[in-house]
Amino acid sequence: MTTAREIMTPDATCVDAQENMLEAAKKMAAHGVGALPICGDDNKLKGMLTDRDIVVKVLGAGKDPARTSAGDLAQGEAVTIGADDEAEEILRTMTEHKVRRLPVIDGHTLIGIVAQADVARALPNPQVGDLLEAMSS
């Protein structure tokens, strides 16, 4: 079976917990992504930041994006997947937690990101439909 390591996008770029939303948005634009892992000074994963978080939780809430840090939006422990976990486990985790992207961890080290599209390409067609249905509801 296909593992997270085989289907992930490697070398995930982090946004530092101290970086503000303007810096985070520029980093997303530069890398052509809609989400970045939030990493702390200890190089540990603190959460995920999405473009939607910036729009809804910062701009929509009337907060100053230059004064709001990525760490301000980190919410508890991030949902992750192990590098050697199989595609079916990734599917289960995404469905259970209603997330479209998962940081891939090898031990305690962030090594990549697996997205819903990555899983869809790796699974047989019936399971892809189940994933899309679960994420849409």
Side-chain angles (χ1 to χ4, degrees), residues 122-136:
L123 292 173
N125 285 340
Q127 287 180 304
V128 171
D130 292 344
L131 171 63
L132 296 176
E133 182 180 335
M135 296 306 291
S136 298

Side-chain angles (χ1 to χ4, degrees), residues 18-62:
Q18 304 306 315
E19 286 185 84
N20 68 43
M21 293 300 98
L22 294 176
E23 294 164 335
K26 287 177 185 176
K27 199 174 268 192
M28 285 181 187
H31 292 282
V33 298
L36 292 170
I38 301 169
C39 297
D41 293 334
D42 56 3
N43 237 8
K44 293 202 177 187
L45 187 65
K46 303 296 183 192
M48 287 291 289
L49 176 69
T50 67
D51 47 8
R52 187 173 194 283
D53 291 333
I54 295 171
V55 171
V56 174
K57 295 176 181 176
V58 179
L59 301 176

Side-chain angles (χ1 to χ4, degrees), residues 4 7 9 13 17 20 29 35 40 43-45 48 58 69 73 80 82 89-90 94-95 99-100 103 127 129 133 136:
I7 63 172
T9 300
T13 299
N20 68 43
N43 237 8
K44 293 202 177 187
L45 187 65
M48 287 291 289
V58 179
S69 73
L73 299 184
T80 63
E89 176 64 16
I90 301 167
M94 285 181 164
T95 303
V99 295
R100 297 175 195 274
Q127 287 180 304
E133 182 180 335
S136 298

